[in-house]
Amino acid sequence: MQCPSCQNTDSRVLESRAADAGRSVRRRRECLNCDYRFTTYERVETVPISVLKRNGSKEIFNKNKVISGLTRACEKTCVDTEKLEMIVDEIELKLQQGNLKEVSSAEIGEMALEQLKGISEVAYIRFASVYRQFHGINDFVATLESFKSEKKEQLATVL
Ligand SMILES: [Zn+2]
């Protein structure tokens, strides 16, 4: 790694820290020639994932878009931006690990729901109503029921 100050290529690492949810490593370095200190980031090269939308068009998976969609569903709930970022990081990681080159927006919605389920009932229901586009009250009740029975199962395993 070339020193930004003197272009010398030998440096020593002072500190290494995981960054970006563990997918990159931040290194604090010191040039062996001039003692200049600088920071480098090392990250795994990732393949862009395309998202197939309901209307048939495709776009590149965009974390910020998913976050803003979730933010609307989670307004006035206990789910803050930090949690939403974690949720979307998790989704992106799963997509990358699954080596998927294409995913549908509905699948991303389901993955987000899966994560919200453990965090906030209100946010889960609101997001489900948007993503699954409830067809009438029965759909809504069915989602609510499935949420409740899974909660009970979780409780049962804890007890
Ligand atoms: Zn230097």
Side-chain angles (χ1 to χ4, degrees), residues 3-8 31-36:
C3 168
S5 176
C6 73
Q7 275 74 50
N8 176 51
C31 173
L32 293 181
N33 181 46
C34 74
D35 295 339
Y36 184 81

Side-chain angles (χ1 to χ4, degrees), residues 4 16 74 101 118:
S16 289
C74 296
K101 292 202 174 63

Side-chain angles (χ1 to χ4, degrees), residues 6-144:
C6 73
Q7 275 74 50
N8 176 51
T9 51
D10 290 321
S11 63
R12 73 187 180 100
V13 175
L14 302 171
E15 189 192 11
S16 289
R17 242 200 282 183
D20 193 19
R23 274 164 299 158
S24 60
V25 179
R26 178 185 182 276
R27 293 210 161 93
R28 195 77 188 127
R29 293 172 184 270
E30 189 180 72
C31 173
L32 293 181
N33 181 46
C34 74
D35 295 339
Y36 184 81
R37 290 185 174 190
F38 57 102
T39 304
T40 56
Y41 287 88
E42 188 181 300
R43 54 162 58 241
V44 175
E45 199 172 39
T46 51
V47 188
I49 299 157
S50 51
V51 179
L52 187 63
K53 301 206 292 180
R54 277 179 210 273
N55 64 11
S57 67
K58 280 185 196 174
E59 63 180 27
I60 295 296
F61 177 78
N62 181 330
K63 240 158 62 167
N64 292 335
K65 263 197 169 172
V66 184
I67 290 174
S68 68
L70 284 169
T71 303
R72 262 174 278 138
C74 296
E75 264 170 16
K76 294 177 192 145
T77 67
C78 63
V79 188
D80 56 20
T81 312
E82 206 179 315
K83 280 203 187 104
L84 292 180
E85 276 171 12
M86 278 169 54
I87 287 175
V88 181
D89 274 348
E90 193 64 32
I91 290 173
E92 192 189 29
L93 193 64
K94 272 190 190 154
L95 294 175
Q96 295 286 358
Q97 285 172 344
N99 254 327
L100 297 171
K101 292 202 174 63
E102 191 178 292
V103 65
S104 71
S105 57
E107 281 172 284
I108 292 177
E110 291 299 323
M111 290 170 89
L113 275 177
E114 208 43 58
Q115 303 270 334
L116 279 178
K117 197 175 270 185
I119 299 175
S120 158
E121 181 169 4
V122 181
Y124 171 79
I125 299 293
R126 269 200 224 159
F127 191 65
S129 73
V130 176
Y131 247 89
R132 292 188 179 152
Q133 297 180 319
F134 289 144
H135 300 293
I137 189 74
N138 288 337
D139 253 14
F140 179 76
V141 171
T143 300
L144 197 62

